[in-house]
Amino acid sequence: MTVVLLSLYVCLALALSNAAPVQHDKIMIKDAPEGHSHPKGEDHHDALPDRCKGIEFNAITPDEKGNTFFFKGDHLWKGFSGPAVLSNSIFKELDEYHHLGHVDAAFHMHHQDDPSVHDHIYFFLDNKVFSYYNYTLEQGYPVEIQQEFPGIPSHLDAAVECPKGECITDSVLFFKGNEIHSFDIKTKSVKKKVWTHLPNCTSAFRWLEHYYCFHGYNFTRFHPVSGEVTGIYPKDARKYFMRCGEGFGHGGNASRQRCSEVKLNAISTDDKGRTYAFQDAMYLRLDTHRYGSHHFPISRLWKEISGGVDAVFSYGENMYIVKGGQVYIYKSAAHYTLIEGYPKPLKEELGIDGTVDAAFLCPNQHIVNVIQGQKMYDIDLAATPRAVKKERPIPFPKIDAGFCDANGVKVFIGPEYYLYESPTILALGKIKPAPQKISPEKFNCEE
């Protein structure tokens, strides 16, 4: 009996091995080698892609919480470190459209005038667009791309948001080949540009007011209005946008400055609500820390400024930068532009001789407070000509930077600051308030 059963098992095994393969419901993945397909649920899900081996991303976008997602095939990475996971583990409805291949493009909507779409994430798959908020697909989606974004083609290569102030209006840049379709979110009008100097972008990413075209495992930074590329590009994305261990150190592995070592030269908020801290020849955005913090050369935004600054303040639509007895005035519209005729001497512009230590302007005021040594000068910016209106002593022999917002006046000395209710309290106060330490979260430093 045992021999008979064994013979039956052998015959059954041989029959199964020679039978036609079971037909699975197959899903073609665009990233599979030509002539290959991956059956749904099979082991291609287990073979996690490794972005540190130099892959090409299909899409990149932040979410409303500041997390950045990198997409490749049916996988994604959340943040600048960590392994890949299946896209449908976070955006589950995308799984229902796997026959479309991968996410072609994605962007984070910036349109504060319309809360119904602001902070949503849009995904583009073939000729469809998906809208997500808080990782939940909005009711009624997906829809045809033309229905949501008239004039925008299907099968996109990349997309990136461009808020007003960086572009002329709240816009989205859509990439297809070397054609860029600039979509005005409010009017739904489209302007087509051809940027042959840019590589074909397979994904695009806005990070801390900078715009990046990703191609292969490289990236190229570009101007969102003109497409201009300045600097030496392309650069390896693994050195800047992910943590890939030894040999890929710049962005993710570079050691951060200790908070006790921070010494600021200036801080200011412009009329668009963008807050900048200046330290030596670098600047840092303080209002975007949820997207990560990074120091950039001052000359990247303010091209005419080399090295550090003495003081910075904003008045109306202009940003004033004081350096070495000269005043530079920049229009704070899309990518700061130096006003014709500047720089001018400090004496001619503000009526002060020599150099200054700090300057600040409180919200909705036209009196700039300029600090020079142990003296604070009040200057009326609405007056012509501008001259010192009042001179008052302050209880510090020298300060590094000053800043005024709705919370009061902050006087920075090294890594600490002193908070006063107003410039008048600063000048008249006999007792110094207790010093406070700068925030490591905002200033990208280690305690």
Side-chain angles (χ1 to χ4, degrees):
M1 179 63 71
T2 303
V3 174
V4 172
L5 287 174
L6 182 59
S7 299
L8 287 173
Y9 286 139
V10 171
C11 292
L12 180 60
L14 288 171
L16 289 173
S17 66
N18 291 318
V22 177
Q23 293 297 312
H24 297 276
D25 178 20
K26 291 189 175 183
I27 300 168
M28 299 299 293
I29 303 298
K30 291 183 183 178
D31 300 293
E34 187 176 355
H36 290 70
S37 63
H38 297 301
K40 183 177 181 180
E42 287 195 8
D43 61 359
H44 75 286
H45 285 176
D46 299 326
L48 296 180
D50 184 354
R51 57 180 164 180
C52 290
K53 290 185 178 178
I55 64 174
E56 184 173 76
F57 296 114
N58 301 131
I60 306 173
T61 183
D63 67 5
E64 70 278 5
K65 298 177 177 64
N67 302 301
T68 299
F69 292 95
F70 297 80
F71 291 83
K72 178 64 175 178
D74 54 0
H75 284 78
L76 63 78
W77 293 263
K78 183 179 180 179
F80 301 102
S81 63
V85 299
L86 285 170
S87 303
N88 60 25
S89 67
I90 298 178
F91 304 100
K92 61 182 181 179
E93 292 85 1
L94 295 180
D95 191 46
E96 300 172 13
Y97 291 83
H98 263 309
H99 63 280
L100 297 177
H102 59 239
V103 174
D104 295 326
F107 76 90
H108 167 253
M109 174 67 81
H110 185 98
H111 190 41
Q112 293 178 325
D113 292 342
D114 187 354
S116 68
V117 298
H118 180 63
D119 266 346
H120 289 219
I121 303 176
Y122 286 81
F123 295 109
F124 297 82
L125 284 77
D126 200 359
N127 64 341
K128 302 287 186 183
V129 58
F130 298 67
S131 175
Y132 279 83
Y133 184 74
N134 197 25
Y135 309 139
T136 301
L137 184 67
E138 293 290 292
Q139 187 175 359
Y141 287 86
V143 298
E144 299 285 327
I145 292 176
Q146 291 281 329
Q147 180 179 334
E148 186 81 5
F149 300 97
I152 300 304
S154 303
H155 305 283
L156 291 164
D157 293 329
V160 66
E161 70 277 11
C162 188
K164 182 179 179 180
E166 297 171 31
C167 282
I168 305 303
T169 63
D170 280 341
S171 306
V172 183
L173 305 180
F174 293 97
F175 296 75
K176 186 165 184 176
N178 57 18
E179 293 183 351
I180 286 78
H181 301 259
S182 180
F183 184 87
D184 186 311
I185 296 171
K186 188 174 183 179
T187 66
K188 294 187 181 297
S189 59
V190 181
K191 292 182 180 179
K192 189 170 77 171
K193 308 172 185 179
V194 178
W195 291 345
T196 55
H197 60 282
L198 263 188
N200 284 0
C201 308
T202 60
S203 57
F205 182 36
R206 171 183 175 265
W207 186 59
L208 301 179
E209 290 187 306
H210 295 82
Y211 291 78
Y212 301 93
C213 161
F214 284 74
H215 44 97
Y217 57 83
N218 294 317
F219 70 90
T220 296
R221 184 170 63 87
F222 65 94
H223 191 292
V225 178
S226 66
E228 180 186 7
V229 176
T230 56
I232 301 173
Y233 290 95
K235 295 180 179 178
D236 192 324
R238 294 170 293 179
K239 295 183 178 180
Y240 294 83
F241 289 97
M242 55 206 73
R243 298 189 177 111
C244 290
E246 190 174 352
F248 298 101
H250 175 85
N253 299 307
S255 60
R256 290 190 296 166
Q257 184 180 32
R258 298 194 68 82
C259 294
S260 60
E261 300 169 339
V262 173
K263 182 177 180 294
L264 301 174
N265 299 117
I267 304 181
S268 184
T269 299
D270 69 8
D271 63 309
K272 304 293 189 301
R274 299 173 293 201
T275 302
Y276 301 93
F278 299 82
Q279 185 179 12
D280 297 327
M282 310 296 283
Y283 78 88
L284 173 72
R285 274 287 296 273
L286 299 184
D287 59 298
T288 57
H289 62 276
R290 73 173 184 169
Y291 296 114
S293 299
H294 192 81
H295 292 83
F296 295 102
I298 293 172
S299 57
R300 180 173 287 190
L301 268 189
W302 300 276
K303 296 180 180 179
E304 294 78 11
I305 305 293
S306 60
V309 302
D310 297 331
V312 179
F313 64 91
S314 292
Y315 178 59
E317 297 181 349
N318 298 331
M319 177 171 277
Y320 290 66
I321 297 180
V322 183
K323 177 182 174 64
Q326 297 285 312
V327 179
Y328 299 72
I329 303 182
Y330 288 85
K331 282 285 185 184
S332 61
H335 298 270
Y336 298 93
T337 304
L338 185 67
I339 292 178
E340 187 176 354
Y342 285 85
K344 290 183 179 180
L346 184 64
K347 178 69 174 179
E348 179 182 340
E349 188 65 32
L350 298 178
I352 296 178
D353 289 310
T355 59
V356 303
D357 297 323
F360 57 87
L361 193 74
C362 293
N364 304 315
Q365 298 295 315
H366 54 84
I367 301 295
V368 61
N369 305 102
V370 179
I371 296 177
Q372 197 175 51
Q374 207 165 351
K375 295 180 179 179
M376 180 168 68
Y377 302 102
D378 294 357
I379 300 168
D380 188 350
L381 295 175
T384 304
R386 292 168 176 172
V388 174
K389 183 178 180 181
K390 187 183 293 184
E391 177 184 324
R392 292 177 285 182
I394 60 171
F396 301 96
K398 183 176 174 60
I399 73 169
D400 297 326
F403 180 66
C404 185
D405 61 11
N407 297 317
V409 177
K410 292 179 181 178
V411 174
F412 289 83
I413 300 176
E416 298 178 331
Y417 67 89
Y418 299 81
L419 180 61
Y420 291 86
E421 290 183 18
S422 67
T424 300
I425 300 298
L426 167 62
L428 298 178
K430 301 298 182 182
I431 301 175
K432 293 180 184 178
Q436 302 182 48
K437 296 188 181 300
I438 65 171
S439 164
E441 292 80 16
K442 277 199 172 187
F443 285 86
N444 193 29
C445 58
E446 292 182 338
E447 292 186 291

